[in-house]
Amino acid sequence: MTPFTNLKAKGLPLGLENVDTDQILPARFLALKPEDGYADYCFRDLRFDADGSPLSVTPLNSKDYAGAMILIAGSNFGCGSSREGAVYALQHLGFRAVIAESFGDIFYQNALVNGLLPVQTGGETVGQILAHLRARPDACIHVDLEAQTVHVDGGVRFGFQIDPFKKHCLLNGVDEIGFTLGFLETIRRYEMTRDVSGGGRVG
């Protein structure tokens, strides 16, 4: 997992409420392997019409927001099913963070363990960011995970909350398994002191 420390990037003002995981990665693509890439299928029905032509009414296809790495959504982002592929799809499309008023609980946890930073803040703040990016598509957003702050160029600045353990994992680019493996030598030393026959400690 790539460590997440500081991110300075363009933001994409999606702003939709109740975007569920089936909108992020439609179920018909779940049979595909993540290693083959989900970028073409992320927000598929929001980006393309039935014959595959790009829709012009969405910021997801706007050249103004090309290369954006921070998605700005409305409330209850990532609701619906627990599919982990929704997180992969967002990452494959280039996003490293999502700012929203609230998230689906399972999506929020899936994001954290896979290196996608979900930033929750008040609805008024989200509205200010959306308005700012729509007026200034070139504005950058600075996300500082260590300080737990977000600053929009020429716009709002705010702090956010995150579980300390999840923060540690993101900063160091490890998941729960990787974190545990960091104690491998300690575990081995402990195992060497145990009597594997069940009779107590060795020596």
Side-chain angles (χ1 to χ4, degrees):
M1 189 166 74
T2 302
F4 191 118
T5 53
N6 292 284
L7 175 64
K8 180 180 179 181
K10 291 172 65 175
L12 190 149
L14 183 64
L16 298 177
E17 308 287 331
N18 301 310
V19 174
D20 63 36
T21 53
D22 194 57
Q23 290 173 285
I24 299 171
L25 180 65
R28 62 187 183 275
F29 302 118
L30 290 179
L32 302 175
K33 297 179 180 179
E35 53 266 32
D36 292 333
Y38 284 151
D40 288 343
Y41 316 113
C42 186
F43 293 123
R44 182 74 183 188
D45 298 329
L46 296 178
R47 295 165 59 203
F48 303 97
D49 63 18
D51 66 7
S53 299
L55 297 170
S56 60
V57 294
T58 173
L60 290 163
N61 289 335
S62 172
K63 292 181 180 179
D64 289 339
Y65 303 107
M69 299 175 71
I70 303 170
L71 183 68
I72 318 302
S75 62
N76 203 27
F77 184 82
C79 57
S81 75
S82 61
R83 68 191 65 170
E84 204 166 17
V87 173
Y88 303 151
L90 289 166
Q91 292 173 314
H92 294 176
L93 199 57
F95 294 111
R96 295 217 61 203
V98 180
I99 299 173
E101 182 179 355
S102 58
F103 294 90
D105 290 341
I106 299 177
F107 174 86
Y108 184 87
Q109 296 302 323
N110 282 341
L112 287 172
V113 300
N114 285 288
L116 178 71
L117 178 64
V119 175
Q120 187 166 320
T121 187
E124 182 178 350
T125 301
V126 171
Q128 291 174 334
I129 299 172
L130 290 169
H132 190 77
L133 293 180
R134 287 163 181 161
R136 288 188 49 190
D138 60 336
C140 280
I141 301 175
H142 307 248
V143 180
D144 186 336
L145 177 56
E146 181 65 50
Q148 295 178 211
T149 60
V150 175
H151 174 220
V152 182
D153 283 347
V156 299
R157 184 190 300 267
F158 62 94
F160 63 93
Q161 300 298 312
I162 185 171
D163 176 83
F165 175 69
K166 300 297 187 184
K167 175 180 176 179
H168 172 87
C169 289
L170 284 169
L171 287 171
N172 291 277
V174 296
D175 57 16
E176 286 93 338
I177 295 174
F179 177 82
T180 302
L181 289 176
F183 297 95
L184 188 57
E185 286 305 314
T186 302
I187 295 170
R188 284 173 175 164
R189 287 196 298 270
Y190 170 74
E191 289 296 325
M192 290 295 292
T193 69
R194 298 181 67 246
D195 181 353
V196 295
S197 67
R201 295 171 63 88
V202 175

